[in-house]
Amino acid sequence: GGAIKKITGFQIPFAGSVCNLEYEEAIEYLQKRSQKPNGIVEAHNRLNPQYDLQIIIPAYNAEKYIEKCLNSILSQKTQYTYVITVINDGSTDETSQILSKYLDDEHVDIISQSNKGFSGARNRGLKNLVGHYLMFVDSDDWICEDAIEKLMNKSIEWDADIVEGSVLFVDDNGRTLSRKHHFSSCGDKDYEETLWGQPWGKVIRATVFENLCFPEGFWYEDSIFEYCIYPFWKKKYTIENDVYAYRYNLNGITCKSRGNVKSIDHYWIMLYLWDWIKDKQTLRSDEWLQISMLDNMVLGYSRTKDLDEKTVQSGFVVLRKHYLSSFANPPRQQKYILLDKSIRKKDFGQFKLLCDRWRYL
């Protein structure tokens, strides 16, 4: 019922379904379903650059893939010096035995620890930053031919903070399913809006992580790129070359998260990072942060909509409070105006309809 707005051929009903759940009740319910992790983003990592590039690989039960991953790096033809820091994160399969083959390789440094997850493994590698630049590679993926040379050439040419390339998405047999394409940026434009939020597919100046780490215990920990890195480091560029092959992993978070209560972490990490960035001088417009918050409210709905209705409503309520405390006025773009209106009116029905059709608006 109610009025209808038409956007690019789609009709969006104003549902008039008000969510009256109180903030305290919403927080309590989310905590009961999946407790908020305690991880933080602040760190004190040691800068000790001895190589042009340090490549950090977290490896947990990666027996099927780790050799292809490592060999894709070791076979690179490059003028740049590099070291691969592999963190064997408490593997219980044959990963340790496979890694032992690389113990005598001067390019490979293997660190073993008890299982701490992706963030804990990456953070172990970050504790001693031995490269001028960093690259993250997941153990079931690989890097493309000449990836190091092409990424580092651009980094040196532009004295860049971050350089990102195009990515291939492959199936378990290595067949290419799709490609995420970048155009090459030429240094006269701010390309930060085109960069992706994943840690991989890019080289990063090591000083970016001197006082930063991945918050442990959270899913979606790579959200730090959007909130803790991109706003503060301005020299960001892209190259069109394929640099990374991302393997769709049926055991990865992307596939496992649907219907999993741990997907509630989206709400927890957003609350944490929104508070974190509000205390910082971002040197960016409030409009950027407002659009980012709205996009992440949509993403939170998408990640948790297969859970029970009260969980999704609770996420809406807790993010709504933080959004409204930050922005008194609506944004300027039409679809965001509609989303903002649904949030201010507590119209959860309209909010869901907009989220379900978001990519088409």
Side-chain angles (χ1 to χ4, degrees):
I4 291 179
K5 297 283 185 183
K6 185 178 285 189
I7 307 176
T8 60
F10 286 86
Q11 293 184 331
I12 306 295
F14 278 57
S17 175
V18 174
C19 176
N20 289 316
L21 192 64
E22 295 294 330
Y23 177 83
E24 291 75 16
E25 182 184 355
I27 284 284
E28 183 179 356
Y29 187 75
L30 291 176
Q31 283 278 27
K32 285 181 179 178
R33 297 281 280 140
S34 183
Q35 193 167 5
K36 181 182 179 181
N38 295 317
I40 59 174
V41 298
E42 289 85 3
H44 300 286
N45 298 316
R46 179 173 176 244
L47 276 176
N48 182 28
Q50 303 167 41
Y51 304 89
D52 296 318
L53 179 66
Q54 179 181 13
I55 302 167
I56 295 177
I57 304 176
Y60 173 71
N61 288 354
E63 62 181 7
K64 287 177 62 178
Y65 309 116
I66 190 64
E67 282 188 277
K68 182 175 180 63
C69 176
L70 285 171
N71 293 341
S72 74
I73 301 169
L74 294 169
S75 63
Q76 295 278 309
K77 293 180 174 60
T78 179
Q79 63 184 301
Y80 298 100
T81 60
Y82 68 88
V83 64
I84 308 167
T85 305
V86 184
I87 293 80
N88 183 12
D89 193 39
S91 296
T92 57
D93 64 356
E94 297 297 310
T95 298
S96 299
Q97 289 85 337
I98 295 169
L99 289 176
S100 67
K101 301 176 186 178
Y102 298 87
L103 287 172
D104 295 329
D105 194 305
E106 63 179 354
H107 291 294
V108 182
D109 180 25
I110 299 169
I111 300 172
S112 295
Q113 65 177 25
S114 58
N115 183 255
K116 294 185 178 179
F118 264 115
S119 292
R122 289 185 182 128
N123 289 344
R124 180 66 181 274
L126 290 170
K127 285 184 182 297
N128 189 26
L129 295 166
V130 296
H132 290 282
Y133 281 87
L134 277 172
M135 178 188 285
F136 295 102
V137 179
D138 289 351
S139 58
D140 51 350
D141 302 334
W142 65 89
I143 64 172
C144 301
E145 187 177 355
D146 295 327
I148 291 177
E149 189 73 5
K150 293 183 186 313
L151 286 167
M152 289 298 296
N153 280 348
K154 189 69 170 180
S155 300
I156 301 304
E157 179 184 356
W158 291 107
D159 188 29
D161 299 319
I162 301 170
V163 177
E164 186 173 86
S166 299
V167 174
L168 301 174
F169 292 86
V170 302
D171 65 16
D172 202 48
N173 296 314
R175 292 185 296 252
T176 300
L177 302 172
S178 61
R179 181 174 186 249
K180 214 170 183 181
H181 178 67
H182 268 314
F183 292 99
S184 291
S185 54
C186 52
D188 59 354
K189 181 179 177 181
D190 188 353
Y191 271 75
E192 60 193 77
E193 301 300 339
T194 72
L195 295 180
W196 305 315
Q198 303 90 346
W200 36 260
K202 52 178 72 75
V203 293
I204 306 156
R205 194 190 298 275
T207 48
V208 170
F209 276 94
E210 183 178 5
N211 297 301
L212 189 70
C213 66
F214 293 90
E216 296 184 28
F218 288 93
W219 275 8
Y220 317 120
E221 74 283 350
D222 51 11
S223 302
I224 66 170
F225 278 83
E226 182 176 3
Y227 290 104
C228 306
I229 295 176
Y230 293 159
F232 303 99
W233 298 87
K234 294 302 181 183
K235 295 181 179 179
K236 299 180 283 289
Y237 303 99
T238 58
I239 59 175
E240 63 183 336
N241 310 85
D242 296 328
V243 300
Y244 196 89
Y246 174 85
R247 190 192 305 265
Y248 277 112
N249 183 355
L250 295 177
N251 293 314
I253 287 176
T254 302
C255 295
K256 287 168 59 178
S257 63
R258 192 161 295 281
N260 191 316
V261 292
K262 189 66 174 163
S263 61
I264 291 170
D265 273 11
H266 177 89
Y267 301 127
W268 296 138
I269 201 160
M270 285 302 110
L271 293 177
Y272 173 64
L273 292 178
W274 290 358
D275 281 342
W276 186 90
I277 200 170
K278 276 163 58 174
D279 291 335
K280 305 290 186 286
Q281 174 57 49
T282 66
L283 304 178
R284 296 178 66 173
S285 68
D286 285 342
E287 183 181 10
W288 162 78
L289 184 56
Q290 185 171 20
I291 295 302
S292 177
M293 283 187 171
L294 290 169
D295 279 333
N296 273 294
M297 288 189 72
V298 175
L299 184 57
Y301 167 80
S302 173
R303 284 172 166 169
T304 60
K305 66 180 181 179
D306 289 333
L307 299 175
D308 62 286
E309 182 81 351
K310 188 172 180 180
T311 293
V312 188
Q313 283 194 12
S314 295
F316 170 76
V317 168
V318 298
L319 294 190
R320 174 183 181 272
K321 179 178 179 179
H322 282 251
Y323 173 76
L324 294 181
S325 70
S326 301
F327 301 101
N329 299 311
R332 290 182 290 180
Q333 299 178 48
Q334 180 63 21
K335 72 174 184 177
Y336 291 102
I337 291 172
L338 289 175
L339 192 66
D340 174 272
K341 185 176 180 180
S342 72
I343 292 166
R344 294 185 191 278
K345 287 189 167 187
K346 298 184 183 179
D347 192 336
F348 185 64
Q350 180 197 332
F351 174 79
K352 289 199 300 181
L353 284 166
L354 288 165
C355 290
D356 283 331
R357 304 179 189 185
W358 195 247
R359 69 171 64 186
Y360 305 110
L361 300 182

